[in-house]
Structures are given as C-alpha cells and as structure tokens.
Amino acid sequence: MDRLKLKAVLGSHPHVQAVKSGALRSDLFDLDFIEYTPTNTAFKPMVREQAFDVCEMAIVTYLMAKAHGKPLVLLPATMMGRFQHSYALYNPKKGKLGPSDLEGKRVGIRSFTTTTGAWIRGILANDYGVNLDKIKWVTFEDPHVAEYVDTTERAPKDKKVLQMLLDGEVDAALGETSDDPKLKSLFPDPAAEAAKWYAGRGIVPVNHLVVVTEGLAKSRPDVVAGVYDLLKRNKAQAGPLGNPDFVPFGIEANRKPLELIVDYAFQQGLIPRRYAVEELFDATTRGLN
C-alpha cells in the first residue's frame, strides 16, 4: 500500500505536540498539518467541504453534521474537555444576575450552535429550571452546518459580544471569559459549581473530538485506526493530564459525556432525535478503545 499524506487540523494541545512536531509518526501515513487559529475556524470548511482528511471538531458541530448527512466519521479521541461554569458572564452595572434570572433577558453567544453554549444551556435548563425559550439569544456567527435554520437575533456586523455586554446591549454572555473587573461570573462560584456538578454526574463535558472523512474511513479503515493509535500514543507519552481526565479516549470513557451532550442538543432543537452513542461511530471507529 502507498504511504498516504493526510491533510490534518488539530489544536496546539500538549497531548498532540509529538504528533504535530513529527516526533511521533506512523508507518502508514504522514500528517500534513494546517494551522487554524482559533481551531474552531476549521470546523466550517470541514463540515461544508470536507476540506481535510483529519480534523478536530466540536461535538455539537459533529452531531448536527451527522443529522444533515455530512460524510464525516467520529473518532473517540477527545482533544478538549472542560467544566463549563466559568464561561458565562454578566455585567453587574445593570443589577445582580444569577443562572436562574435569565428568562426575559438578552444573552449574547458567538453562535447558537457552539458546544460550550449547548453545555451551559443544558446546565441552565436541567439544573436551574431555566426555560431557554424565554431568553432572547443574540448571535454573531453562522452555524457551521449551513442547513440549520438559525432563528436568533443577529448582532450588527461590527459588534463584539463582550463589548455589547460592557455597553449594556446584552444582559449576559455565554461561552466567554474575561479579566475585565466590570464583568462577573453568572455562576457565583464557578469552581465550586463545577465540582458539585462533577460529584453529581461523574462527567467531564467534552468539547472537541476528532473526525475523519467518510471517504477515508471507507477506503482505508487501517489508516483511520492508525490515526487514533497515534493520538492515543501521544496522550500516553504526555503523561497524566489531571484527575479527572479531561481528554478521555475510547468509546466507554466518552460514553457518559456523549450521552449527555446528545440529550442537551436534542432538548435544544439542534438535532432531530437522540442518537445512541454507537450510532455516532462507524464499523471501524466503534471498535476503538
């Protein structure tokens, strides 16, 4: 078999540094890395044009891509996971706001379909009883999946979400952090909230995993398994990445977070039905652990 050259996009994570530098390589293929900063700017061309062979991708983007029949296949290789409670801000100049106070308010978010947004909305709805339909969502970017019909209010082109929050044009913002002393966390003690959430659910929310094109998965399943193996070896080489593990590998390690984000995405109308975890993978990637 000829040695393949694969176009790839991965963020600059500690656990992929050896793969990106070429220190860790495969006998089957070479990875030709293309840099996108921030990494999420690669998701749209991957969904819409399958512009790369291997690409980091936000899990909600993948779920929506799957719902619309995009020829992508998921690998159970987490590139980024994090607790989400610190990614919600408000401006106290307009009065105190907590997670339960958002109904009737204007909330800014980069795109309604971001994974961080879906996680935080899921927490608001399921842990705080917030009716998400009673929030006025203000967005700044198109969804990565063109077929999704976005009914949110679009901010004027020259506006930025944090500036709108500082100017009092929105009441809160999701998916953002800031050191500006004028802004406060929507969750009064995000670290404590996250610890409580983890104690109750035993889940680290996963944000980004890895996808490959369906064409590659069908024509060279050995290469797809090889990509996963390479990433897994790099993770092992990087050493312990904290407890809990924020970048779980394998279907079983990702099962609970995937089930929950599928649930949240379905509740929020981002996908038409709840997918079983096994449905998110193909014959090759289903066996990866």
Side-chain angles (χ1 to χ4, degrees), residues 5 30 50 55 66 91 93-94 100 104 157 168 234 244 282:
K5 192 162 191 148
D30 290 314
Q50 293 76 61
C55 190
K66 180 174 180 60
N91 186 347
K93 192 172 75 173
K94 290 181 74 177
S100 304
K157 276 198 179 353
N234 197 157
D282 77 348

Side-chain angles (χ1 to χ4, degrees), residues 40-260:
N40 63 46
T41 53
F43 302 167
K44 189 188 282 187
M46 186 59 173
V47 167
R48 297 189 180 191
E49 303 147 35
Q50 293 76 61
F52 322 105
D53 301 293
V54 180
C55 190
E56 184 168 328
M57 184 168 283
I59 186 59
V60 169
T61 297
Y62 173 73
L63 292 174
M64 294 176 67
K66 180 174 180 60
H68 290 281
K70 303 299 175 187
L72 302 174
V73 172
L74 186 67
L75 304 187
T78 302
M79 292 292 102
M80 188 177 89
R82 66 187 182 200
F83 293 116
Q84 309 290 352
H85 295 77
S86 59
Y87 292 84
L89 302 170
Y90 79 101
N91 186 347
K93 192 172 75 173
K94 290 181 74 177
K96 191 166 169 26
L97 265 192
S100 304
D101 306 321
L102 290 183
E103 291 179 14
K105 298 289 192 288
R106 287 165 59 78
V107 177
I109 184 167
R110 181 166 58 83
S111 165
F112 189 72
T113 60
T114 63
T115 293
T116 295
W119 276 117
I120 298 173
R121 287 193 303 265
I123 290 165
L124 291 170
N126 294 279
D127 300 346
Y128 292 88
V130 175
N131 183 340
L132 302 175
D133 293 334
K134 292 188 175 174
I135 293 172
K136 181 77 174 172
W137 301 100
V138 180
T139 59
F140 298 76
E141 288 179 17
D142 291 335
H144 296 128
V145 178
E147 290 83 351
Y148 177 76
V149 179
D150 187 354
T151 58
T152 59
E153 177 189 329
R154 182 55 60 92
K157 276 198 179 353
D158 59 334
K159 296 282 188 176
K160 302 278 186 233
V161 62
L162 287 178
Q163 195 55 52
M164 284 185 77
L165 184 58
L166 286 164
D167 294 342
E169 295 176 302
V170 293
D171 300 293
L174 301 190
E176 304 292 332
T177 57
S178 173
D179 296 326
D180 194 310
K182 297 191 200 73
L183 301 178
K184 284 196 170 175
S185 174
L186 185 69
F187 296 92
D189 185 340
E193 292 280 352
K196 187 172 136 194
W197 194 86
Y198 180 70
R201 294 191 182 267
I203 291 171
V204 172
V206 294
N207 271 52
H208 296 180
L209 283 85
V210 175
V211 298
V212 296
T213 61
E214 193 179 82
L216 180 65
K218 284 187 169 164
S219 65
R220 294 295 301 269
D222 58 329
V223 167
V224 172
V227 169
Y228 179 78
D229 181 60
L230 201 60
L231 294 172
K232 192 174 178 182
R233 278 163 53 206
N234 197 157
K235 182 190 168 182
Q237 200 180 80
L241 295 164
N243 186 24
D245 185 354
F246 283 87
V247 289
F249 271 53
I251 295 210
E252 289 315 311
N254 278 291
R255 182 175 295 278
K256 277 181 152 182
L258 288 176
E259 284 175 343
L260 193 56

